[in-house]
Amino acid sequence: QVQLVESGGGFVQFGGSLRLSCAASGFTLSNYGIGWFRQAPGKEREGVSCISRRDDNTYYADSVKERFAISRDNAKNTVYLQMNSLKPEDTAVYFCAKDLHGNSCPWMAPGDFTSWGQGTQVTVSS
């Protein structure tokens, strides 16, 4: 069964750090681009970061550039999102998902991703 499970969320103060994990089962994660998305209350789901399947190119939303870093550990079949210098506006439920088409990372459109995890809550206090 194809499954992605997010973990690592929590409550942090302004300027703090968290590392999210996206563990895959039922498929080889390195064969797919994997994206991180977030959804705040009352807002649409938005792409945060993505790592492509072949060359491990990384992509970031402008709002998180220089603060977030995505990486992949193929041995653990896991993708990480290191989040530094967190701000209250980063508060959201964070999801990971698998690239449906194989070339969706640059645009990070939620409709181009599949096998969504259940999400992990990140709350940043001011």
Side-chain angles (χ1 to χ4, degrees), residues 34-67:
I34 300 295
W36 280 100
F37 299 80
R38 66 187 181 187
Q39 188 165 17
K43 294 188 177 181
E44 293 187 355
R45 191 168 297 188
E46 63 174 353
V48 174
S49 183
C50 194
I51 186 164
S52 62
R53 64 173 176 170
R54 294 217 174 132
D55 47 19
D56 276 359
N57 278 345
T58 57
Y59 303 87
Y60 298 94
D62 288 344
S63 59
V64 306
K65 280 181 181 176
E66 310 295 332
R67 299 189 298 122

Side-chain angles (χ1 to χ4, degrees), residues 6 36-40 42-48 92-97 108-111 113 115-119:
E6 304 94 339
W36 280 100
F37 299 80
R38 66 187 181 187
Q39 188 165 17
K43 294 188 177 181
E44 293 187 355
R45 191 168 297 188
E46 63 174 353
V48 174
V93 178
Y94 283 71
F95 302 87
C96 62
M108 292 186 282
F113 288 78
S115 303
W116 292 86
Q118 83 290 346

Side-chain angles (χ1 to χ4, degrees), residues 2-93:
V2 172
Q3 192 174 15
L4 291 168
V5 178
E6 304 94 339
S7 62
F11 182 94
V12 294
Q13 292 187 336
F14 178 88
S17 298
L18 284 172
R19 188 177 78 157
L20 305 184
S21 298
C22 172
S25 59
F27 71 101
T28 301
L29 188 143
S30 60
N31 290 337
Y32 294 87
I34 300 295
W36 280 100
F37 299 80
R38 66 187 181 187
Q39 188 165 17
K43 294 188 177 181
E44 293 187 355
R45 191 168 297 188
E46 63 174 353
V48 174
S49 183
C50 194
I51 186 164
S52 62
R53 64 173 176 170
R54 294 217 174 132
D55 47 19
D56 276 359
N57 278 345
T58 57
Y59 303 87
Y60 298 94
D62 288 344
S63 59
V64 306
K65 280 181 181 176
E66 310 295 332
R67 299 189 298 122
F68 290 12
I70 191 171
S71 61
R72 187 201 299 271
D73 186 333
N74 293 334
K76 295 183 178 180
N77 219 29
T78 299
V79 167
Y80 302 99
L81 185 68
Q82 178 67 43
M83 307 188 298
N84 300 323
S85 303
L86 283 162
K87 305 174 182 179
E89 50 263 47
D90 295 317
T91 295
V93 178

